[in-house]
Amino acid sequence: VKGFEGINDIASGDDMLLMDKIARKYPNAIGFCKNEAAIVYTYPQSNLKNFIQQRWRWASKSNKYKDIRITAALAGVYVFNLSILINAIGAVAGNTTMLYLFLLQLLLKTCADWFFLSTGCFFFKRNDLLRSFLPAQLMHIAYIIAIGSLGNIKTYTWKGRKVR
């Protein structure tokens, strides 16, 4: 796939963008290696500022994928979370329909997130992480909206330099 040619001008995300190139050249030939021997551990960011900068950087490449399915999935998650917030505001303002939509969306999000996260926690033997699941649900909505917006409109700092 000629390595990083065509994506080497992008400051971050070379690993994912390279996988995107490989997947386009070899459709249906890439799969998830669900094997404990293939697990790679990454240390968490040391503080909230670095965490936000990292996620901001990751979100900034969301419009660089050539596979429309990835872009559509990212946009769908963003719009769904934004609509949860809009319906929550409408519910607080007294709109009963928006209250029911908010509750339905929150239930759908919670069930889907629980399915994926509990499956991952079981595989990685980290069920202790599920204790913070419910309190984190509402924060996650704000996080998706904020990071998704920032990643597509503002510069970020990475390795001591400003990048857009």
Side-chain angles (χ1 to χ4, degrees):
V1 296
K2 298 182 181 175
F4 297 104
E5 185 179 302
I7 58 172
N8 56 353
D9 61 324
I10 301 168
S12 175
D14 53 350
D15 54 350
M16 290 296 295
L17 295 169
L18 179 60
M19 287 300 298
D20 185 44
K21 285 178 70 174
I22 294 168
R24 281 185 284 118
K25 182 160 182 154
Y26 303 102
N28 304 316
I30 294 177
F32 180 73
C33 181
K34 192 173 181 180
N35 184 311
E36 288 186 33
I39 295 172
V40 176
Y41 292 92
T42 302
Y43 291 104
Q45 291 298 311
S46 59
N47 58 51
L48 183 60
K49 180 182 176 191
N50 290 346
F51 173 80
I52 290 170
Q53 285 289 319
Q54 177 192 57
R55 300 311 165 99
W56 190 339
R57 177 170 47 90
W58 289 356
S60 73
K61 69 177 178 283
S62 63
N63 62 353
K64 305 288 191 253
Y65 294 109
K66 302 290 187 214
D67 187 339
I68 191 71
R69 295 172 299 176
I70 295 172
T71 307
L74 293 170
V77 168
Y78 177 83
V79 169
F80 184 76
N81 281 278
L82 184 60
S83 69
I84 292 174
L85 176 63
I86 291 167
N87 285 323
I89 293 167
V92 169
N95 185 313
T96 308
T97 302
M98 292 179 100
L99 171 64
Y100 292 137
L101 283 172
F102 166 72
L103 293 173
L104 177 63
Q105 287 178 301
L106 197 57
L107 178 65
L108 289 171
K109 178 185 179 343
T110 301
C111 290
D113 287 353
W114 178 263
F115 172 76
F116 287 109
L117 290 173
S118 63
T119 301
C121 285
F122 178 76
F123 175 73
F124 290 108
K125 297 174 179 53
R126 291 299 313 266
N127 289 331
D128 58 307
L129 296 174
L130 294 173
R131 280 182 257 148
S132 60
F133 175 76
L134 286 177
Q137 274 299 85
L138 293 176
M139 289 187 303
H140 190 249
I141 295 166
Y143 160 81
I144 292 294
I145 296 166
I147 296 299
S149 298
L150 290 172
N152 286 290
I153 62 171
K154 296 208 34 123
T155 60
Y156 59 88
T157 303
W158 188 50
K159 295 185 178 181
R161 65 183 196 262
K162 292 262 187 205
V163 180
R164 176 66 212 124

